[in-house]
Amino acid sequence: MHVQVGIIGVGPAGLLLARMLSLQGISCVILEAQTRAYVEGRIRAGLQEQGSVDLLTEVGLAERLHKEALVHDAVEIAFDGVRHRIDLHALTGKHVYIYGQHEIVVDMIAMNLAAGVPMIFEAEATALSGLEGDRATINYRHAGEDKTLTCDYIAGCNGFHGLARDALPAGIRRDFDRVYPYAWLGILAQATPVTNELIYCHHPSGFALFSMRSPEISRCYLQVPPDEKPENWSDDRIWTELQNRLGTKSELTIPVGPIIQKGVTGMRSFVCEPMQYGRLFLAGDAAHIVPPTGAKGMNLAFADIYVLANALTAFYKNNTTELLARYSEMALKRVWRAEYFSWWMTSMLHIDPTANAFDQKRQIAELHAVFGSEAGQKLFAQNYVGLPFGM
Ligand code: FAD
Ligand code: DHB
């Protein structure tokens, strides 16, 4: 089989690319190692930037999102026992939206299948070749058989643990990496959210985040040691610790309810450069990841795809390779801004176990400097709601 673009990965990046290409009449196939049920049930991101929602709307993928998403004007940042409301809309004119990543994935799979985009589940890409030649090949394994797909271009949208990045020659590829000395324990609970807005909390016992998925479902996170086992956290212990960190002096009573999902996520910043080699383009987590504090991962995947889809469209419609040649440089500009913001927000709000008393006082002073001034709030808000796509 030959297509113009072979896409690896049914995640937000691969699905958005397939949609944008198919709208332009560019042929593509998506290969996915997992089953459809698995990818549709994978609970991950919850916060969409205004730019992501605008793009999804433009390409016809946001009909259900506009009916069901919670639209937020502000977030709260709590430290030193006081909650500070940061009015994102007043500071930037933009909103953020709460709508689960898996819901977007469900919507995007349905829309792509309805548009006739071939999607092969349980098809694991095993090798890439021909990246420097006239056409590229993806070897994959499906239904117990080894198969090949040839294409003009390959989009490596296969997430952080996929194979595409490893196809870059060692002499060309450069990795930039930081691992944080803490992780997040995330829960999904049948409990009415305590407020209408997210609360990010700095507390001497560690960071906490109160988020939600709907008026009935809360999504909460607690800073834990990097090697923590979810089994060490009983439901009781989780609710007590959320109350301890989020409730301090702020008169909040965290609602308790059945916990329906629990997991630990490591915290890491990572960028692979360049994001292109020959006929291979990397997008989303395949090229970079951020610690989740700034809610940037999925939004960054969409921003990459915006640049890549426009570059592929320029090639197939106008026969120009200029934007394809500049893809890595253009995408990386925004990637590094999001890397910086995610690192900054993470460092400001978490308790670093290696910090000394000076570091702890300096951290509180920084929180006052940023959130106690309009200039600081504005810098935070502009980055949090998301920088323009294609900047
Ligand atoms: P993925 O979603 O990882 O998709 C890659 C796909 O490729 C997967 O389906 C995988 O099975 C498939 N694949 C891998 N290898 C192969 C192969 N060899 N062959 C075929 N298929 C393959 N981001 C935000 O923007 N906002 C948030 O609020 C947020 N919160 C988060 C909270 C948590 C707990 C976590 C874990 C992440 C969060 N993120 C958030 C990050 C976000 O989920 C990721 O950045 C996003 O999923 C990246 O999308 P992607 O399409 O690049 O990769
Ligand atoms: C959610 C996750 C985040 O990492 C974040 O910064 C905000 C919200 C969430 O899952 O709702």
Side-chain angles (χ1 to χ4, degrees):
M1 189 175 13
H2 181 89
V3 286
Q4 288 170 316
V5 182
I7 302 174
I8 311 171
V10 171
L15 287 163
L16 179 62
L17 181 61
R19 175 67 178 175
M20 293 181 74
L21 295 182
S22 69
L23 285 176
Q24 297 298 331
I26 299 167
S27 67
C28 59
V29 166
I30 323 185
L31 303 174
E32 167 58 51
Q34 303 288 346
T35 63
R36 180 173 176 184
Y38 179 86
V39 297
E40 289 189 339
R42 196 164 42 193
I43 306 290
R44 282 185 167 178
L47 189 132
Q48 323 296 331
E49 295 173 359
Q50 175 91 58
S52 297
V53 172
D54 291 347
L55 178 57
L56 293 173
T57 306
E58 196 183 309
V59 299
L61 291 172
E63 201 180 313
R64 190 161 68 99
L65 183 152
H66 283 293
K67 285 190 202 126
E68 296 180 15
L70 305 172
V71 186
H72 286 190
D73 283 348
V75 285
E76 292 192 15
I77 309 287
F79 56 91
D80 245 359
V82 177
R83 287 156 56 200
H84 301 254
R85 185 170 187 272
I86 312 303
D87 192 333
L88 303 169
H89 190 254
L91 289 159
T92 66
K94 293 182 184 169
H95 303 282
V96 291
Y97 296 71
I98 294 292
Y99 187 72
Q101 172 173 330
H102 71 288
E103 304 288 6
I104 293 192
V105 166
V106 166
D107 298 345
M108 295 203 292
I109 288 176
M111 203 58 102
N112 274 309
L113 287 175
V117 174
M119 217 173 279
I120 312 177
F121 289 94
E122 298 179 80
E124 184 179 0
T126 51
L128 311 182
S129 54
L131 302 180
E132 298 99 340
D134 291 343
R135 59 170 47 185
T137 301
I138 306 175
N139 288 75
Y140 66 98
R141 198 158 173 79
H142 179 60
E145 280 180 41
D146 290 319
K147 301 191 173 172
T148 55
L149 173 70
T150 63
C151 35
D152 300 345
Y153 295 106
I154 298 174
C157 301
N158 50 326
F160 187 61
H161 298 292
L163 84 167
R165 197 166 64 234
D166 291 337
L168 266 64
I172 287 181
R173 171 174 160 185
R174 230 183 129 194
D175 290 355
F176 303 82
D177 204 4
R178 173 177 292 257
V179 177
Y180 298 83
Y182 32 75
W184 277 13
L185 172 73
I187 61 146
L188 198 63
Q190 271 162 358
T192 305
V194 62
T195 60
N196 293 331
E197 287 158 358
L198 270 61
I199 309 172
Y200 291 88
C201 176
H202 172 278
H203 185 275
S205 307
F207 169 83
L209 166 59
F210 199 98
S211 180
M212 70 262 328
R213 285 293 177 274
S214 73
E216 296 85 34
I217 302 283
S218 295
R219 174 85 166 142
C220 308
Y221 300 94
L222 285 168
Q223 176 183 345
V224 293
D227 48 3
E228 188 65 295
K229 304 250 176 310
E231 308 85 82
N232 292 342
W233 287 79
S234 65
D235 290 11
D236 247 13
R237 184 177 175 203
I238 291 171
W239 290 121
T240 304
E241 197 51 28
L242 282 167
Q243 180 64 42
N244 168 42
R245 296 187 195 179
L246 288 157
T248 316
K249 292 193 214 157
S250 59
E251 294 161 10
L252 268 187
T253 304
I254 303 300
V256 173
I259 292 179
I260 47 185
Q261 202 248 353
K262 188 163 67 173
V264 170
T265 310
M267 309 271 280
R268 187 169 193 166
S269 299
F270 173 87
V271 181
C272 165
E273 292 191 4
M275 286 171 61
Q276 179 247 334
Y277 175 71
R279 295 185 171 273
L280 171 66
F281 293 82
L282 303 177
D285 280 16
H288 42 72
I289 52 169
V290 286
T293 325
K296 290 282 161 254
M298 181 181 46
N299 293 294
L300 210 44
F302 288 151
D304 288 350
I305 295 303
Y306 175 82
V307 179
L308 182 56
N310 285 338
L312 287 165
T313 302
F315 171 68
Y316 285 110
K317 298 286 164 197
N318 306 326
N319 205 23
T320 162
T321 53
E322 194 210 329
L323 290 180
L324 282 175
R326 291 186 53 215
Y327 166 70
S328 180
E329 168 213 326
M330 288 168 72
L332 281 168
K333 216 165 129 191
R334 194 177 187 285
V335 165
W336 275 110
R337 292 288 299 271
E339 289 285 343
Y340 163 68
F341 176 69
S342 303
W343 165 85
W344 182 51
M345 192 169 164
T346 299
S347 314
M348 269 195 299
L349 289 169
H350 288 72
I351 301 297
D352 183 336
T354 66
N356 66 16
F358 174 87
D359 299 326
Q360 289 161 16
K361 292 272 188 188
R362 185 207 54 74
Q363 192 184 34
I364 296 288
E366 182 176 14
L367 287 164
H368 281 292
V370 173
F371 295 105
S373 89
E374 194 179 331
Q377 287 190 12
K378 193 155 188 166
L379 178 67
F380 170 82
Q382 280 168 341
N383 283 277
Y384 187 81
V385 300
L387 300 173
F389 281 18
M391 58 181 276

